[in-house]
Every structure is written in C-alpha cells, then in structure tokens.
Amino acid sequence: MNEADSEGIAAAFRRRGYTLTDDIKKADAVVVNTCTVRQKAEDKAISQIGRLRVWKEKRPEGKVFVVGCAAQKLGGKNIKHRFPFVDEVVGAKSIEKFEDSLIAQLGPSPEGETEHQNIYRSPQTAYTTVMRGCSLKCSYCIVPAVRGPAVCLSPEAVLEDAAAKLKAGAKEIVLLGQTVNSYKYGKTTFSELLKKTLALPGLARLRFMSPHPVYFDDAFTALLASEPKLARHMHLPVQSGSDRILRLMRRGYTRGAYLGLLERLRGAAPDLAVSTDFIVGYPGETEQDFADTLALVEEGRFSLAYCFKYSPRTDRPEMSATISEAEMEARLEKLLAAVKKNSRLVLNERIGKIEEVLFETETYGRASGNFAVRVKAGGTPGKVEKVLTAGAEKNTLNGKIL
Ligand code: SAH
Ligand code: SF4
C-alpha cells in the first residue's frame, strides 16, 4: 500500500514536470513515505529522516516532506519538534492533500509533464488502489488507527486508473486494499470489479492484494475457475496456526476454516500458489500454539511466507510482548527454516510443468503463480509466453520458451 502511495506521489510530481532521481545531491525535494506497521519500520523511518539533516544544511532551499503512517501516528508537531528542518508532514489519512499542499511549495517546473516510470515494480506491473483504510479490528494491528476505516473507491475511479496504467504500457494490474476482497461500492462487489477490470483492453494478468479469508464467496471461486487472466497466486495472510491465538487476534476464522478455504480455492484453480504472513510471539503464545503454526506451513503448502516477530503497537498492558526476545528469535528462526524447506518443495513441484510467464526482460519474468522464471533467451518484455520448466535454482525456476 505504501509502495502504491509512493508511486502516486511520484506521479503527482511528474505531472508538474519533476523527475525522480537516485542522486540525492540533485534533488529539489525528498519525500520520506513512512511505515509504522511494526516498531522496526517506524525506527527506520525516523533514522532516515535524521539522515536528511546534513542534506538540508547543504541545500537550505531543498524541501523535506514526511508522509505516511508513521507521520500519522507521531503527528506533525512531534516530528517537526524532533527534526526542525522538516518542511511539511502529511499523515496517511490525508495523503490525497499531498499534491496541492506540498508540490505547490516547490512551484511549477519548467519541464512540463515527464515520462512515467515505476519505482518498485517492472514497467509491466502497476498498482491500482481500490480501497483505503481498514474496518477490521485485528488486536495487534495499527493500520485502522493510522489509515482510518475502509473506504472503497468507485468502480469508475478504479477502472479509469487501471486503464490509464495499461495505456501507459502496464500489462499486469495489482488491485490493492487491506481487505481487498471485501470491496463493495453500491451494487458492485469484488468479483464484479474483477470482471470489469479483466475486460480492460491490454490487460494480460490481474492480481490483487491482500484478500482476507472471511470475504471469499462462491462468485469469486467461480470467477477464479473460469478466468485464466486472474493470477494463479494469492497472498492470503493467516497470521497463526493456533485457533486460540487466532481468536485473541480477532481474525474471524479458525485454522480449519482457513484450510477449508484453501481447499475450495485450489478446487477452483488446482495450480494456485498461496503465500502468507505469520506473526510469532503474540502475547501468551505457548509452545503448543507455536507448534500449530509450524505445522501449518506444510499443511498450507505455502509457496512463500513472510514471518514477523510480534511488535506491540499500543501501550495497552495486555498487548505488551510476553515472550522474551531470545525466545521470539528462536521461534522465528524455526519458522523461517520450515518456510524455506517447504517453499523449496512447492517450487520443485513446478519443475517439468508449463508456466505462463509475463516477461520483464528477455531472460526473466514471473509466472502466473508469482514464481520467478529465467530462460536463456527469447523473452519479449511485456509478453506472456509458455515456458517449460526444467529446474530450479535458489527461488527461481528455469526453462525454455515453448
Ligand atoms: N490487511 C492485511 C495485512 C496488512 S499488515 C491482512 O489482514 O491480511 C501486513 C502484515 O504485517 C500482516 O499480515 C501481519 O502479518 C504483519 N503485522 C501487522 N501488525 C503487526 C504487529 N503488530 N507485529 C508484527 N507483525 C504485524
Ligand atoms: Fe490490520 Fe489487516 Fe486486520 Fe485490517 S485486516 S486490522 S489491516 S491485519
């Protein structure tokens, strides 16, 4: 979501004639888009802002803008007090105001509109936000507090944005929202939004992130079964394999319900790759709770899993960490090892099969299941080709274009 916001901010600068630079010495403005989902992210943002002090001293006319979730949490006053050289702070809830209030400070650039260029993804892939904020109340999560309740964009706005990105050369669109599959605008449901997006000219593949396990319905599974342009991959965060912890987290599903969902989704798309997120060391997590999470890695046949140590995001005493840092680290290590082993097994199952690969370069692309694929030659950037895979090295499949 933050990557998408940064792309949006960069696009706003471009429309006013500015270009991106990797060389901070040449910059007229630096925008620090901050995250606060875990304390570590917030700490990183703070030290990044701190490092700009020297830049600003050398370039007093340069602007420093701090935006995003940590800006929302800490507040403008607080940030400006700690870092008086910061020109403006815009929290995640008012990021749309960015264009007017901030870029205006720089004045118009003489260049005129500059060329689009993705920061994070290859030129083939573009993000389209469909929903801002989140209305769920997962106990560990700061997102609803810093981004506000869920607000869906109109289907017209979503389609207009996606169409513009396809026109500019994207082949793959990623629809974004914190609970993206709960999308509802008037009568338009998530599945209907997918159908409308799938009909846009120039689209080769459609992804979305992140769906929440409680919002999938039969209309979606039917669409998944019938629509090959819908990617054969889903990032479906589970967080824990223990029913007790899932209840404390207020996730709204059990381990069994999650596994049942995976079965239904794989029933509709047998080659569906599923990746996930886990949190280890949730307050009160026992050895047994952790063992349940560990066992889920294999049972869920996840292609990939991001594993996070629990990070308290509130001062409420019942939400402080109860697992020692050493134990938390030990559990994380075990989980990462299990994920690595399992991901390799899942990848190996793909060897000798035909993958639909969207090429980013002549030799590299991504399969519909989101696996990285390498060939010796022959790929065309922006085109989908069938590749027969022959092996796997590190996390990458290799093979030949058919
Ligand atoms: N909306 C998505 C998740 C967004 S946050 C969903 O509900 O699936 C991204 C990930 O950060 C989460 O899936 C979770 O694994 C992790 N996360 C969120 N809060 C956290 C915390 N307090 N400590 C550790 N990890 C956290
Ligand atoms: Fe946070 Fe995701 Fe839960 Fe919303 S659904 S509260 S973003 S973890």
Side-chain angles (χ1 to χ4, degrees):
M1 191 59 85
N2 271 27
E3 288 183 5
D5 286 343
S6 292
E7 297 284 5
I9 291 165
F13 272 101
R14 273 188 223 104
R15 281 196 296 277
R16 292 173 191 229
Y18 291 93
T19 36
L20 288 170
T21 175
D22 289 330
D23 183 357
I24 195 163
K25 287 197 210 90
K26 289 189 189 151
D28 296 305
V30 179
V31 183
V32 184
N33 189 7
T34 61
C35 174
T36 186
V37 76
R38 287 168 292 277
Q39 188 58 40
K40 208 165 145 191
E42 189 180 306
D43 295 345
K44 265 194 206 166
I46 294 297
S47 64
Q48 183 70 44
I49 301 166
R51 262 179 262 139
L52 291 169
R53 191 186 305 268
V54 178
W55 178 79
K56 182 79 172 191
E57 273 165 15
K58 287 194 183 136
R59 207 183 168 105
E61 75 285 6
K63 301 282 181 196
V64 175
F65 301 141
V66 176
V67 307
C69 293
Q72 184 75 46
K73 178 181 170 234
L74 299 170
K77 255 198 198 146
N78 185 341
I79 291 177
K80 281 193 177 176
H81 179 73
R82 275 177 83 176
F83 306 104
F85 57 89
V86 168
D87 291 279
E88 194 95 42
V89 179
V90 181
K93 284 182 189 166
S94 29
I95 213 136
E96 308 84 69
K97 288 193 205 137
F98 182 84
E99 233 183 295
D100 295 331
S101 68
L102 302 192
I103 308 181
Q105 293 189 23
L106 289 173
S109 153
E111 305 290 321
E113 186 153 336
T114 56
E115 209 179 312
H116 178 80
Q117 171 197 344
N118 282 355
I119 312 171
Y120 295 98
R121 307 289 295 246
S122 71
Q124 284 75 38
T125 302
Y127 295 121
T128 288
T129 299
V130 309
M131 177 195 287
R132 297 198 162 274
C134 179
S135 291
L136 294 190
K137 292 187 171 58
C138 302
S139 59
Y140 52 83
C141 184
I142 199 170
V143 172
V146 289
R147 285 193 175 262
V151 177
C152 294
L153 276 73
S154 73
E156 292 75 26
V158 170
L159 293 170
E160 192 187 321
D161 185 63
K165 285 168 178 166
L166 291 169
K167 217 172 150 203
K171 303 288 174 215
E172 177 179 77
I173 297 287
V174 189
L175 300 181
L176 293 179
Q178 292 297 349
T179 53
V180 70
N181 54 339
S182 73
Y183 179 89
K184 187 91 201 278
Y185 192 96
K187 290 204 171 87
T188 309
T189 61
F190 180 59
S191 295
E192 280 149 14
L193 183 72
L194 290 176
K195 273 188 212 160
K196 287 180 205 261
T197 314
L198 284 161
L200 291 174
L203 181 88
R205 188 184 279 164
L206 185 58
R207 299 185 185 278
F208 53 83
M209 199 161 65
S210 290
H212 189 288
V214 302
Y215 295 109
F216 280 120
D217 57 11
D218 293 344
F220 174 79
T221 20
L223 187 66
L224 181 65
S226 65
E227 188 42 81
K229 280 187 187 171
L230 211 46
R232 267 35 197 162
H233 168 250
M234 219 175 273
H235 185 67
L236 189 58
V238 64
Q239 315 300 1
S240 171
S242 151
D243 279 344
R244 201 179 70 83
I245 297 292
L246 286 170
R247 197 168 347 103
L248 291 173
M249 287 177 163
R250 295 203 288 262
R251 285 294 287 180
Y253 53 84
T254 59
R255 175 200 181 93
Y258 183 92
L259 286 169
L261 172 65
L262 288 191
E263 212 167 296
R264 280 204 304 289
L265 294 171
R266 285 173 169 146
D271 54 347
L272 187 75
V274 180
S275 56
T276 199
D277 291 346
F278 288 112
I279 296 176
V280 297
Y282 184 87
E285 184 188 71
T286 62
E287 278 295 339
Q288 184 56 51
D289 293 322
F290 177 65
D292 290 347
T293 294
L294 210 53
L296 188 63
V297 172
E298 218 174 296
E299 213 172 326
R301 292 190 280 133
F302 298 112
S303 56
L304 197 106
Y306 297 102
C307 308
F308 306 111
K309 285 191 275 188
Y310 172 70
S311 169
R313 299 321 285 132
T314 114
D315 292 335
R316 276 185 292 128
E318 72 275 21
M319 292 310 292
S320 48
T322 59
I323 313 292
S324 72
E325 183 55 31
E327 181 57 25
M328 193 106 80
E329 194 59 50
R331 289 183 190 181
L332 181 71
E333 294 274 304
K334 271 189 207 158
L335 186 60
L336 287 171
V339 165
K340 192 172 169 194
K341 187 173 158 218
N342 182 73
S343 301
R344 184 67 208 205
L345 291 176
V346 170
L347 192 68
N348 283 349
E349 279 170 17
R350 302 278 164 158
I351 299 173
K353 302 224 165 94
I354 294 168
E355 296 284 349
E356 305 258 345
V357 178
L358 174 58
F359 276 87
E360 292 175 19
T361 71
E362 282 171 24
T363 55
Y364 175 85
R366 284 214 172 243
S368 182
N370 212 27
F371 300 99
V373 180
R374 233 169 244 298
V375 297
K376 287 235 165 67
T380 310
K383 262 192 85 179
V384 176
E385 310 267 17
K386 285 191 180 5
V387 172
L388 176 63
T389 58
E393 217 174 310
K394 293 195 178 131
N395 298 318
T396 306
L397 290 164
N398 52 58
K400 249 190 186 160
I401 295 175
L402 287 180

